[in-house]
Amino acid sequence: MKINRVFNNPRHSSHRLVLFNHKGGVGKTTLTVNIASALAKKGKRVLLVDADPQCNLTSYLVEAAVVGKWLDNSDSDSGVTIWSAIKPIAESKGEVREVNPIERLAKIFLIPGDIRLSEFEQDLQQIWTECLQRKVRGYRGVSAISETVNIVAKKIKADFVFYDVGPNIGPLNRVVLLDCDYFIVPAACDLFSTIALSTLGHSLASWIKDWQVISQLAPDNTHLLPGKPIFMGYILQKFRMYGGKISGGFAPYVAKLEKAANSDIATILRRIDNNLAQSSISHNKLGQVKDFGSLAIIAQEEGRPFAMASGGSAYLKEEAEKEFNKIADRIIERTMLALQVI
């Protein structure tokens, strides 16, 4: 059966990515902010989308009092949160509403998160079922966040879009992942991160295969999610260094994570489509970010990337900037390479 891919709202050309790991405490939000900053310094315009009902990214970048006002006002026509945008779709009262992103840092824009996304997530399970029943409401609900992002990305001429998501494999993260062109896995050097990768790959594979079926059932002129997130690689982090090398307590997990990223993510996705992951094991590692200790705390308190923190060691800030620059360069390189292949 031919897959209908007619979009009501043509997808903007920006690259959509998410740092995803359903294990908590792996620094997704912190990494997202620092990678976005590195990309912005290279002249790229970045849209950050807080798709986590806990609003960690919004809380990182914006003062608590301001966030509180946004949440109190999110139901109104002047609301600026992600819920403000998708509310008409969630309540079956109209189309997504355009919201104005907040330029928090130079070339870095934010669509703020909203606790009301937790209610929408509860509805998404039924909305997903309605897609299988070929109901238009189902497809509109599944694509609501995607359409919102498309409108804003086009408006600000974004080069990159980064979603920030919670640590779970629920229905909200499913629609976000299926809207992404790429995903990156942040992994700490510990046993639990290694174990988490084994279930992450299977969950993603299941979502992709289910969406292939749903896409085939889609009525004409339906906005469809791309449904093919490519594994860009993993970022090793939360380790300590000694004598220029990863210290002994963390070192054993480096090889384990590399093996798990290949066998439990890349290999599984390649069974669906060879283009969803690289065949080279060494290519899977996108970068490594050590434990920056007090510098990370200072930066989070100030709502800034590490390199822009007002305090902390100048040496550590320089190290952080170098590492995130490397990661940003690899992201640019791999997205451009994918375009050449297409």
Side-chain angles (χ1 to χ4, degrees):
M1 185 181 297
K2 182 179 179 180
I3 296 179
N4 186 320
R5 291 195 175 275
V6 179
F7 292 77
N8 291 328
N9 190 6
R11 185 179 176 88
H12 187 255
S13 59
S14 54
H15 304 289
R16 300 189 191 186
L17 303 91
V18 62
L19 276 76
F20 179 61
N21 190 332
H22 56 290
K23 177 190 178 298
V26 292
K28 295 186 298 295
T29 301
T30 301
L31 286 174
T32 298
V33 170
N34 281 278
I35 292 171
S37 176
L39 287 167
K41 287 181 179 178
K42 296 179 183 297
K44 305 299 182 182
R45 297 174 68 82
V46 183
L47 174 62
L48 300 179
V49 183
D50 193 344
D52 180 1
Q54 296 184 42
C55 306
N56 287 335
L57 177 62
T58 305
S59 298
Y60 187 117
L61 292 172
V62 183
E63 296 81 359
V66 176
V67 175
K69 291 179 181 178
W70 287 346
L71 295 179
D72 290 342
N73 198 42
S74 64
D75 274 331
S76 72
D77 290 341
S78 59
V80 298
T81 72
I82 185 71
W83 167 253
S84 305
I86 68 172
K87 181 175 179 283
I89 293 289
E91 297 181 348
S92 300
K93 293 181 179 178
E95 304 296 328
V96 295
R97 190 175 66 79
E98 183 176 341
V99 294
N100 293 316
I102 313 302
E103 188 171 8
R104 182 60 184 83
L105 299 167
K107 294 187 174 66
I108 299 177
F109 301 79
L110 170 70
I111 299 180
D114 198 309
I115 193 172
R116 295 286 297 276
L117 276 182
S118 60
E119 299 173 21
F120 181 60
E121 180 164 29
Q122 293 176 18
D123 293 337
L124 272 174
Q125 195 58 54
Q126 176 60 33
I127 288 171
W128 187 265
T129 300
E130 290 178 358
C131 287
L132 290 167
Q133 297 168 346
R134 301 193 76 228
K135 293 183 178 180
V136 173
R137 178 183 179 274
Y139 288 94
R140 294 185 70 201
V142 164
S143 65
I145 293 177
S146 174
E147 290 197 60
T148 297
V149 170
N150 196 53
I151 292 169
V152 178
K154 184 177 181 180
K155 181 176 182 178
I156 69 169
K157 300 179 181 178
D159 298 298
F160 290 91
V161 173
F162 279 83
Y163 283 102
D164 193 55
V165 297
N168 61 70
I169 49 175
L172 180 58
N173 283 354
R174 175 170 57 189
V175 299
V176 169
L177 264 290
L178 292 173
D179 188 47
C180 286
D181 303 303
Y182 306 91
F183 70 97
I184 299 167
V185 177
C189 286
D190 59 40
L191 176 62
F192 298 107
S193 280
T194 306
I195 295 174
L197 297 192
S198 64
T199 54
L200 189 152
H202 287 286
S203 296
L204 281 171
S206 176
W207 293 348
I208 292 169
K209 288 187 285 188
D210 287 349
W211 186 247
Q212 289 175 344
V213 174
I214 289 174
S215 297
Q216 291 173 346
L217 297 172
D220 290 341
N221 300 315
T222 300
H223 180 113
L224 292 176
L225 304 178
K228 289 187 175 183
I230 297 171
F231 178 44
M232 183 175 280
Y234 69 94
I235 296 177
L236 192 68
Q237 62 154 356
K238 293 200 177 241
F239 56 85
R240 294 181 180 178
M241 304 286 289
Y242 181 78
K245 296 181 180 180
I246 296 177
S247 61
F250 300 94
Y253 292 104
V254 176
K256 291 179 181 178
L257 286 169
E258 183 177 77
K259 181 179 179 182
N262 180 62
S263 61
D264 296 331
I265 299 179
T267 299
I268 288 173
L269 293 181
R270 283 173 58 81
R271 290 172 186 164
I272 301 173
D273 185 335
N274 280 333
N275 294 319
L276 292 181
Q278 293 288 330
S279 57
S280 170
I281 295 178
S282 60
H283 194 87
N284 288 331
K285 185 178 177 182
L286 192 65
Q288 60 181 41
V289 178
K290 71 176 185 179
D291 184 354
F292 281 97
S294 61
L295 175 60
I297 296 173
I298 294 170
Q300 289 166 6
E301 289 176 346
E302 296 180 348
R304 300 178 179 181
F306 292 173
M308 294 176 62
S310 61
S313 162
Y315 172 73
L316 287 180
K317 286 192 281 189
E318 183 179 349
E319 274 199 317
E321 186 168 26
K322 286 180 179 178
E323 185 54 44
F324 285 113
N325 275 337
K326 290 178 185 177
I327 293 173
D329 284 338
R330 288 168 187 149
I331 289 173
I332 293 170
E333 177 187 354
R334 294 183 187 187
T335 53
M336 292 304 296
L337 181 61
L339 289 175
Q340 293 172 11
V341 171
I342 293 173

